[in-house]
Coordinates of all heavy atoms in Angstrom, one line a residue:
R1 N -8.6 -215.9 116.7 CA -7.7 -216.9 116.3 C -7.9 -217.2 114.8 O -9.0 -217.3 114.3 CB -8.1 -218.2 117.1 CG -7.2 -219.3 116.8 CD -7.5 -220.5 117.8 NE -7.2 -221.7 117.0 CZ -7.6 -222.8 117.4 NH1 -8.2 -223.0 118.5 NH2 -7.3 -223.9 116.7
L2 N -6.8 -217.3 114.1 CA -6.8 -217.6 112.7 C -6.2 -219.0 112.4 O -5.1 -219.3 112.9 CB -6.0 -216.6 111.9 CG -5.9 -216.8 110.4 CD1 -7.2 -216.8 109.7 CD2 -4.9 -215.8 109.8
E3 N -6.9 -219.8 111.7 CA -6.4 -221.1 111.2 C -6.3 -221.1 109.7 O -7.2 -220.6 109.0 CB -7.3 -222.2 111.6 CG -7.4 -222.5 113.1 CD -8.3 -223.6 113.5 OE1 -8.9 -224.2 112.6 OE2 -8.4 -223.9 114.7
V4 N -5.2 -221.6 109.2 CA -5.1 -221.7 107.7 C -5.0 -223.2 107.4 O -4.1 -223.9 107.9 CB -3.8 -221.0 107.2 CG1 -3.6 -221.2 105.7 CG2 -3.9 -219.5 107.6
V5 N -5.8 -223.7 106.5 CA -5.9 -225.1 106.0 C -5.5 -225.0 104.6 O -6.3 -224.5 103.7 CB -7.2 -225.7 106.3 CG1 -7.2 -227.2 105.8 CG2 -7.7 -225.6 107.7
C6 N -4.3 -225.6 104.2 CA -3.8 -225.5 102.9 C -3.0 -226.8 102.6 O -2.2 -227.2 103.5 CB -3.0 -224.3 102.7 SG -2.3 -224.1 101.1
P7 N -3.2 -227.4 101.4 CA -2.3 -228.5 101.1 C -0.8 -228.2 101.1 O -0.5 -227.0 100.8 CB -2.8 -229.0 99.7 CG -3.6 -227.9 99.2 CD -4.0 -227.0 100.3
A8 N 0.0 -229.1 101.3 CA 1.5 -228.9 101.3 C 1.9 -228.3 99.9 O 2.8 -227.5 99.8 CB 2.2 -230.1 101.6
E9 N 1.3 -228.8 98.9 CA 1.6 -228.4 97.5 C 0.3 -227.9 96.8 O -0.3 -228.7 96.1 CB 2.2 -229.5 96.7 CG 3.6 -229.9 97.1 CD 4.6 -228.8 96.8 OE1 4.5 -228.1 95.8 OE2 5.6 -228.7 97.6
P10 N -0.1 -226.7 97.0 CA -1.3 -226.2 96.4 C -1.3 -226.0 94.9 O -2.3 -225.7 94.3 CB -1.6 -224.9 97.1 CG -0.3 -224.4 97.5 CD 0.6 -225.6 97.8
G11 N -0.1 -226.0 94.3 CA 0.1 -225.8 92.9 C 0.3 -224.4 92.6 O 0.5 -223.5 93.4
I12 N 0.2 -224.1 91.3 CA 0.5 -222.7 90.8 C -0.8 -222.0 90.4 O -1.7 -222.7 89.8 CB 1.5 -222.8 89.6 CG1 2.8 -223.3 90.0 CG2 1.6 -221.4 89.0 CD1 3.8 -223.6 88.9
L13 N -0.9 -220.8 90.7 CA -2.1 -220.0 90.3 C -1.6 -218.8 89.5 O -0.8 -218.0 89.9 CB -2.8 -219.5 91.6 CG -4.0 -218.5 91.4 CD1 -5.1 -219.2 90.6 CD2 -4.5 -218.0 92.7
H14 N -2.1 -218.7 88.3 CA -1.8 -217.6 87.4 C -2.9 -216.6 87.5 O -4.0 -216.8 87.0 CB -1.7 -218.1 85.9 CG -0.7 -219.1 85.7 ND1 0.7 -218.8 85.5 CD2 -0.8 -220.5 85.6 CE1 1.3 -219.9 85.3 NE2 0.5 -221.0 85.4
S15 N -2.6 -215.5 88.2 CA -3.6 -214.5 88.5 C -2.9 -213.2 88.9 O -1.7 -213.1 89.0 CB -4.5 -215.0 89.6 OG -5.6 -214.1 89.8
D16 N -3.7 -212.2 89.0 CA -3.3 -210.9 89.4 C -3.0 -210.9 90.9 O -4.0 -211.0 91.7 CB -4.3 -209.8 89.0 CG -3.8 -208.4 89.3 OD1 -3.2 -208.2 90.4 OD2 -4.2 -207.5 88.6
L17 N -1.8 -210.8 91.4 CA -1.5 -210.9 92.8 C -2.2 -209.9 93.6 O -2.7 -210.2 94.7 CB 0.1 -210.9 93.0 CG 0.6 -210.9 94.4 CD1 0.2 -212.2 95.1 CD2 2.0 -210.7 94.5
T18 N -2.2 -208.7 93.1 CA -2.8 -207.6 93.9 C -4.3 -207.8 94.1 O -4.9 -207.6 95.2 CB -2.7 -206.2 93.1 OG1 -1.3 -206.0 92.9 CG2 -3.3 -205.1 93.9
K19 N -5.0 -208.3 93.0 CA -6.5 -208.6 93.2 C -6.7 -209.8 94.1 O -7.7 -209.7 94.9 CB -7.1 -208.9 91.8 CG -7.2 -207.6 91.0 CD -7.8 -207.9 89.6 CE -7.8 -206.7 88.8 NZ -8.4 -206.9 87.5
V20 N -5.9 -210.8 94.1 CA -6.1 -212.0 95.0 C -5.8 -211.5 96.4 O -6.6 -211.8 97.3 CB -5.1 -213.1 94.6 CG1 -5.1 -214.2 95.6 CG2 -5.5 -213.7 93.2
R21 N -4.7 -210.8 96.6 CA -4.4 -210.3 97.9 C -5.6 -209.4 98.5 O -6.0 -209.5 99.6 CB -3.1 -209.5 97.9 CG -2.6 -209.1 99.2 CD -1.3 -208.3 99.2 NE -0.4 -208.9 98.2 CZ 0.7 -208.5 97.9 NH1 1.2 -207.3 98.3 NH2 1.5 -209.1 97.0
Q22 N -6.1 -208.5 97.7 CA -7.2 -207.6 98.1 C -8.4 -208.4 98.4 O -9.1 -208.1 99.4 CB -7.5 -206.6 97.0 CG -8.5 -205.5 97.5 CD -7.9 -204.7 98.6 OE1 -6.8 -204.2 98.5 NE2 -8.7 -204.5 99.6
A23 N -8.8 -209.4 97.6 CA -10.0 -210.2 97.9 C -9.8 -211.0 99.2 O -10.8 -211.0 100.0 CB -10.2 -211.2 96.7
L24 N -8.7 -211.6 99.4 CA -8.4 -212.3 100.7 C -8.4 -211.4 101.9 O -9.0 -211.7 102.9 CB -7.1 -213.1 100.6 CG -7.2 -214.3 99.7 CD1 -5.8 -214.9 99.6 CD2 -8.2 -215.3 100.0
F25 N -7.8 -210.2 101.7 CA -7.8 -209.2 102.8 C -9.2 -208.8 103.1 O -9.6 -208.7 104.3 CB -7.0 -208.0 102.4 CG -6.9 -207.0 103.4 CD1 -6.1 -207.1 104.6 CD2 -7.7 -205.8 103.3 CE1 -6.1 -206.1 105.5 CE2 -7.7 -204.9 104.3 CZ -6.9 -205.0 105.4
N26 N -10.1 -208.6 102.1 CA -11.4 -208.1 102.4 C -12.2 -209.2 103.1 O -13.0 -209.0 104.0 CB -12.1 -207.8 101.0 CG -11.6 -206.4 100.5 OD1 -11.0 -205.6 101.2 ND2 -11.9 -206.2 99.2
L27 N -12.1 -210.5 102.6 CA -12.8 -211.6 103.2 C -12.4 -211.8 104.7 O -13.2 -212.0 105.6 CB -12.6 -212.9 102.5 CG -13.2 -213.0 101.1 CD1 -12.7 -214.3 100.4 CD2 -14.7 -212.9 101.1
L28 N -11.1 -211.7 104.9 CA -10.6 -211.9 106.3 C -11.0 -210.7 107.2 O -11.3 -210.9 108.4 CB -9.1 -212.1 106.3 CG -8.6 -213.5 105.7 CD1 -7.1 -213.4 105.5 CD2 -9.0 -214.6 106.6
S29 N -11.0 -209.5 106.6 CA -11.4 -208.4 107.4 C -12.8 -208.4 107.8 O -13.2 -208.1 108.9 CB -11.1 -207.1 106.6 OG -9.7 -206.9 106.4
N30 N -13.7 -208.8 106.9 CA -15.1 -209.0 107.2 C -15.3 -210.0 108.2 O -16.1 -209.8 109.2 CB -15.9 -209.3 105.9 CG -16.0 -208.2 104.9 OD1 -15.8 -207.0 105.3 ND2 -16.3 -208.5 103.7
A31 N -14.6 -211.1 108.2 CA -14.8 -212.2 109.2 C -14.3 -211.7 110.5 O -15.0 -211.9 111.6 CB -14.0 -213.4 108.8
A32 N -13.2 -210.9 110.6 CA -12.7 -210.4 111.8 C -13.6 -209.4 112.5 O -13.7 -209.3 113.7 CB -11.3 -209.8 111.6
K33 N -14.4 -208.6 111.7 CA -15.3 -207.7 112.3 C -16.4 -208.3 113.1 O -16.8 -207.8 114.1 CB -16.0 -206.9 111.2 CG -15.2 -205.9 110.5 CD -16.0 -205.2 109.4 CE -15.2 -204.5 108.4 NZ -16.0 -204.0 107.3
F34 N -16.8 -209.5 112.8 CA -17.9 -210.2 113.4 C -17.5 -211.4 114.3 O -18.3 -212.0 114.9 CB -18.9 -210.6 112.4 CG -19.4 -209.5 111.5 CD1 -19.0 -209.3 110.2 CD2 -20.3 -208.6 112.1 CE1 -19.5 -208.3 109.5 CE2 -20.8 -207.5 111.3 CZ -20.3 -207.4 110.0
T35 N -16.2 -211.7 114.4 CA -15.7 -212.8 115.2 C -14.7 -212.3 116.2 O -13.5 -212.3 116.0 CB -15.0 -213.8 114.2 OG1 -15.9 -214.1 113.2 CG2 -14.7 -215.1 115.0
K36 N -15.2 -211.8 117.3 CA -14.3 -211.2 118.3 C -13.7 -212.3 119.2 O -12.5 -212.2 119.5 CB -15.1 -210.3 119.2 CG -15.8 -209.2 118.5 CD -14.8 -208.3 117.8 CE -15.5 -207.1 117.1 NZ -14.7 -206.5 116.1
A37 N -14.4 -213.4 119.5 CA -13.8 -214.4 120.3 C -13.8 -215.8 119.7 O -13.5 -216.8 120.4 CB -14.6 -214.4 121.7
G38 N -14.1 -215.9 118.4 CA -14.2 -217.2 117.8 C -13.0 -217.5 117.0 O -11.9 -217.0 117.2
T39 N -13.2 -218.3 116.0 CA -12.1 -218.8 115.1 C -12.5 -218.4 113.6 O -13.6 -218.5 113.2 CB -11.9 -220.3 115.2 OG1 -11.6 -220.6 116.5 CG2 -10.8 -220.8 114.2
I40 N -11.5 -217.9 112.9 CA -11.6 -217.6 111.5 C -10.7 -218.7 110.8 O -9.5 -218.8 111.2 CB -11.1 -216.2 111.2 CG1 -12.0 -215.2 111.9 CG2 -11.1 -216.0 109.7 CD1 -11.4 -213.8 111.8
T41 N -11.2 -219.3 109.8 CA -10.5 -220.4 109.1 C -10.4 -220.0 107.6 O -11.4 -219.8 107.0 CB -11.1 -221.8 109.3 OG1 -11.3 -222.0 110.7 CG2 -10.3 -222.8 108.6
L42 N -9.2 -220.0 107.1 CA -9.0 -219.8 105.7 C -8.6 -221.2 105.1 O -7.6 -221.8 105.5 CB -7.8 -218.8 105.4 CG -7.3 -218.7 104.0 CD1 -8.5 -218.2 103.0 CD2 -6.1 -217.8 103.9
T43 N -9.4 -221.7 104.2 CA -9.2 -223.0 103.6 C -8.8 -222.8 102.1 O -9.6 -222.1 101.4 CB -10.4 -223.9 103.7 OG1 -10.7 -224.0 105.1 CG2 -10.1 -225.3 103.2
V44 N -7.8 -223.4 101.6 CA -7.4 -223.3 100.2 C -7.5 -224.7 99.7 O -6.9 -225.7 100.2 CB -5.9 -222.8 100.1 CG1 -5.6 -222.7 98.6 CG2 -5.8 -221.4 100.8
T45 N -8.2 -224.9 98.6 CA -8.3 -226.2 97.9 C -8.1 -226.0 96.4 O -8.3 -224.9 95.9 CB -9.7 -226.9 98.2 OG1 -10.7 -226.0 97.8 CG2 -9.9 -227.2 99.6
R46 N -7.7 -227.0 95.8 CA -7.5 -227.0 94.3 C -8.4 -228.1 93.8 O -8.4 -229.3 94.3 CB -6.1 -227.3 94.0 CG -5.8 -227.1 92.5 CD -4.3 -227.3 92.2 NE -4.0 -227.0 90.9 CZ -3.6 -225.8 90.4 NH1 -3.5 -224.8 91.3 NH2 -3.3 -225.6 89.2
E47 N -9.2 -227.8 92.8 CA -10.2 -228.7 92.2 C -10.2 -228.7 90.7 O -10.0 -227.6 90.1 CB -11.6 -228.4 92.8 CG -11.7 -228.5 94.3 CD -13.1 -228.2 94.8 OE1 -14.0 -228.4 94.1 OE2 -13.1 -227.8 96.0
A48 N -10.3 -229.9 90.1 CA -10.3 -230.0 88.7 C -11.7 -230.2 88.3 O -12.4 -231.1 88.8 CB -9.4 -231.1 88.2
T49 N -12.2 -229.5 87.2 CA -13.5 -229.7 86.7 C -13.3 -229.8 85.1 O -12.2 -229.6 84.6 CB -14.4 -228.5 87.0 OG1 -13.9 -227.3 86.3 CG2 -14.5 -228.2 88.5
A50 N -14.4 -230.0 84.5 CA -14.4 -230.0 83.0 C -14.0 -228.7 82.4 O -13.4 -228.6 81.4 CB -15.8 -230.4 82.5
A51 N -14.2 -227.6 83.2 CA -13.9 -226.2 82.8 C -12.4 -225.9 83.0 O -12.0 -224.8 82.7 CB -14.8 -225.2 83.4
G52 N -11.7 -226.8 83.7 CA -10.3 -226.5 84.1 C -10.0 -226.6 85.5 O -10.8 -227.1 86.3
A53 N -8.8 -226.2 85.9 CA -8.4 -226.3 87.3 C -8.8 -225.0 88.0 O -8.6 -224.0 87.5 CB -6.9 -226.5 87.4
W54 N -9.2 -225.2 89.3 CA -9.7 -224.0 90.1 C -9.0 -224.1 91.4 O -8.8 -225.1 92.0 CB -11.2 -224.0 90.2 CG -11.9 -223.8 88.9 CD1 -12.2 -224.8 88.0 CD2 -12.4 -222.6 88.4 NE1 -12.8 -224.2 86.9 CE2 -13.0 -222.9 87.2 CE3 -12.4 -221.3 88.9 CZ2 -13.6 -221.9 86.4 CZ3 -13.0 -220.3 88.1 CH2 -13.5 -220.6 86.9
V55 N -8.8 -222.9 92.0 CA -8.3 -222.8 93.4 C -9.5 -222.1 94.1 O -10.0 -221.1 93.7 CB -7.0 -221.9 93.5 CG1 -6.7 -221.7 94.9 CG2 -5.9 -222.6 92.7
R56 N -9.8 -222.7 95.2 CA -10.9 -222.1 96.1 C -10.4 -221.6 97.4 O -9.7 -222.4 98.1 CB -12.0 -223.2 96.3 CG -13.1 -222.7 97.2 CD -14.1 -223.8 97.4 NE -15.3 -223.4 98.0 CZ -15.6 -223.7 99.3 NH1 -14.8 -224.4 100.0 NH2 -16.8 -223.2 99.8
F57 N -10.6 -220.4 97.6 CA -10.3 -219.8 98.9 C -11.6 -219.6 99.7 O -12.5 -218.9 99.2 CB -9.6 -218.4 98.8 CG -8.3 -218.4 98.1 CD1 -8.2 -218.2 96.7 CD2 -7.1 -218.6 98.8 CE1 -7.0 -218.2 96.0 CE2 -5.9 -218.7 98.1 CZ -5.8 -218.5 96.7
A58 N -11.7 -220.2 100.8 CA -12.9 -220.0 101.6 C -12.6 -219.5 103.0 O -11.7 -220.0 103.7 CB -13.7 -221.4 101.7
V59 N -13.3 -218.5 103.4 CA -13.1 -217.9 104.8 C -14.3 -218.3 105.6 O -15.5 -218.0 105.2 CB -12.9 -216.4 104.7 CG1 -12.9 -215.8 106.1 CG2 -11.7 -216.1 104.0
W60 N -14.1 -219.0 106.7 CA -15.2 -219.5 107.6 C -15.0 -218.8 108.9 O -13.9 -218.7 109.4 CB -15.1 -221.0 107.7 CG -16.2 -221.6 108.5 CD1 -17.4 -222.1 108.0 CD2 -16.2 -221.9 109.9 NE1 -18.1 -222.6 109.1 CE2 -17.4 -222.5 110.2 CE3 -15.3 -221.6 110.9 CZ2 -17.7 -222.9 111.5 CZ3 -15.6 -222.0 112.2 CH2 -16.8 -222.6 112.5
D61 N -16.1 -218.2 109.4 CA -15.9 -217.6 110.7 C -17.0 -218.1 111.7 O -18.1 -218.5 111.3 CB -16.0 -216.1 110.7 CG -17.3 -215.5 110.3 OD1 -18.2 -215.5 111.1 OD2 -17.4 -215.1 109.1
S62 N -16.7 -218.3 112.9 CA -17.6 -218.8 113.9 C -18.1 -217.6 114.8 O -17.8 -217.6 116.0 CB -16.9 -219.9 114.8 OG -15.8 -219.3 115.5
A63 N -18.7 -216.7 114.2 CA -19.3 -215.5 114.9 C -20.4 -216.0 115.8 O -20.9 -217.1 115.7 CB -19.8 -214.5 113.9
G64 N -20.7 -215.2 116.7 CA -21.7 -215.5 117.7 C -23.1 -215.9 117.1 O -23.9 -216.6 117.7
N65 N -23.4 -215.4 115.9 CA -24.6 -215.7 115.3 C -24.6 -216.9 114.3 O -25.4 -217.2 113.5 CB -25.1 -214.5 114.5 CG -24.2 -214.1 113.4 OD1 -23.0 -214.6 113.4 ND2 -24.6 -213.2 112.5
G66 N -23.5 -217.7 114.4 CA -23.4 -218.9 113.6 C -22.3 -218.8 112.6 O -21.6 -217.8 112.5
A67 N -22.1 -219.8 111.8 CA -21.0 -219.9 110.9 C -21.4 -219.2 109.5 O -22.5 -219.2 109.1 CB -20.6 -221.3 110.6
F68 N -20.4 -218.7 108.9 CA -20.6 -218.0 107.6 C -19.4 -218.3 106.7 O -18.2 -218.2 107.1 CB -20.7 -216.5 107.8 CG -21.0 -215.8 106.5 CD1 -22.2 -216.0 105.8 CD2 -20.1 -214.9 106.0 CE1 -22.5 -215.3 104.7 CE2 -20.4 -214.2 104.8 CZ -21.6 -214.4 104.1
V69 N -19.6 -218.8 105.5 CA -18.6 -219.1 104.6 C -18.6 -218.2 103.4 O -19.7 -217.9 102.8 CB -18.7 -220.6 104.1 CG1 -17.6 -220.9 103.1 CG2 -18.5 -221.5 105.2
Q70 N -17.4 -217.6 103.0 CA -17.3 -216.7 101.9 C -16.3 -217.4 100.9 O -15.1 -217.3 101.2 CB -16.9 -215.4 102.3 CG -17.7 -214.7 103.3 CD -17.2 -213.3 103.7 OE1 -17.3 -212.4 102.9 NE2 -16.6 -213.2 104.9
P71 N -16.8 -218.1 99.9 CA -15.8 -218.7 98.9 C -15.4 -217.7 97.8 O -16.2 -216.9 97.3 CB -16.5 -219.9 98.4 CG -18.0 -219.5 98.5 CD -18.1 -218.5 99.6
V72 N -14.2 -217.9 97.3 CA -13.7 -217.2 96.1 C -13.1 -218.3 95.2 O -12.2 -219.0 95.7 CB -12.7 -216.1 96.4 CG1 -12.1 -215.5 95.2 CG2 -13.3 -215.0 97.3
W73 N -13.6 -218.4 94.0 CA -13.0 -219.4 93.0 C -12.1 -218.6 92.0 O -12.6 -217.7 91.4 CB -14.1 -220.1 92.3 CG -14.9 -221.0 93.2 CD1 -16.0 -220.7 94.0 CD2 -14.6 -222.4 93.4 NE1 -16.4 -221.8 94.6 CE2 -15.6 -222.9 94.3 CE3 -13.7 -223.3 92.9 CZ2 -15.7 -224.2 94.7 CZ3 -13.7 -224.6 93.3 CH2 -14.7 -225.1 94.2
L74 N -10.9 -219.1 91.8 CA -10.0 -218.6 90.8 C -9.6 -219.6 89.8 O -9.3 -220.7 90.2 CB -8.8 -217.9 91.4 CG -9.1 -216.8 92.4 CD1 -7.8 -216.4 93.1 CD2 -9.7 -215.6 91.7
N75 N -9.7 -219.3 88.5 CA -9.3 -220.3 87.5 C -7.8 -220.4 87.5 O -7.1 -219.5 87.1 CB -9.9 -219.8 86.2 CG -9.7 -220.8 85.1 OD1 -8.9 -221.7 85.2 ND2 -10.5 -220.8 84.1
A76 N -7.3 -221.6 87.9 CA -5.9 -221.8 88.0 C -5.3 -222.2 86.6 O -4.1 -222.2 86.5 CB -5.6 -222.9 89.0
S77 N -6.1 -222.5 85.7 CA -5.6 -223.0 84.4 C -5.5 -221.9 83.3 O -5.1 -222.2 82.2 CB -6.5 -224.2 83.9 OG -7.8 -223.7 83.7
K78 N -5.9 -220.7 83.7 CA -5.9 -219.6 82.7 C -4.6 -218.7 83.0 O -4.5 -218.2 84.1 CB -7.1 -218.8 82.8 CG -7.2 -217.7 81.8 CD -8.6 -217.0 81.9 CE -8.6 -215.9 80.9 NZ -9.9 -215.2 80.9
A79 N -3.8 -218.5 82.1 CA -2.6 -217.7 82.3 C -3.0 -216.2 82.4 O -4.0 -215.8 81.8 CB -1.6 -217.9 81.1
T80 N -2.2 -215.4 83.1 CA -2.6 -214.0 83.3 C -2.5 -213.2 82.0 O -3.1 -212.1 81.9 CB -1.6 -213.4 84.4 OG1 -0.3 -213.6 83.9 CG2 -1.8 -214.0 85.7
N81 N -1.7 -213.6 81.0 CA -1.6 -212.8 79.8 C -2.6 -213.2 78.8 O -2.5 -212.7 77.6 CB -0.2 -212.9 79.3 CG 0.2 -214.4 78.9 OD1 -0.6 -215.3 79.1 ND2 1.4 -214.6 78.4
E82 N -3.6 -214.0 79.1 CA -4.6 -214.4 78.1 C -5.8 -213.4 78.2 O -6.1 -212.9 79.2 CB -5.1 -215.8 78.3 CG -4.0 -216.8 78.0 CD -4.5 -218.2 78.1 OE1 -5.7 -218.4 78.5 OE2 -3.7 -219.1 77.9

C-alpha cells in the first residue's frame, strides 16, 4: 500500500526533473523491496531556513523489522540555470 502526504500547494521546485524522478523511484523501490505487506508513505514538505527554501521528500516504510525513513532535501530557492 502506498500513501502520499503532500500539501495542496507544495510550491515550485527548480531542479532537474530526471534526477528528482530517479531519486524518488530509487527510494520507493528500496522501500517496496522490504515492505511486502506494510505501508510505504511518501511525504513532501516545504521548509524555509536561513539558507533558503527546501523541499523534503521522505519515504517511510513499515517493513517487518521496523520503520525506516529515507529523506531527500532539494533546494527550492536555487534556479536550475545557476
Side-chain angles (χ1 to χ4, degrees):
R1 180 174 149 191
L2 175 65
E3 292 181 357
V4 178
V5 179
C6 181
E9 291 292 329
I12 296 172
L13 173 64
H14 300 279
S15 188
D16 183 323
L17 176 61
T18 302
K19 289 181 182 178
V20 172
R21 187 179 315 175
Q22 187 65 47
L24 290 176
F25 179 78
N26 288 344
L27 292 174
L28 291 168
S29 293
N30 288 342
K33 286 181 199 175
F34 302 104
T35 308
K36 302 299 182 200
T39 300
I40 298 169
T41 305
L42 169 62
T43 304
V44 182
T45 56
R46 187 175 187 92
E47 299 180 24
T49 68
W54 293 84
V55 175
R56 179 180 187 252
F57 296 94
V59 175
W60 184 90
D61 67 78
S62 62
N65 59 350
F68 183 66
V69 176
Q70 302 178 75
V72 173
W73 290 88
L74 298 173
N75 190 334
S77 58
K78 184 176 181 180
T80 55
N81 60 359
E82 292 183 2

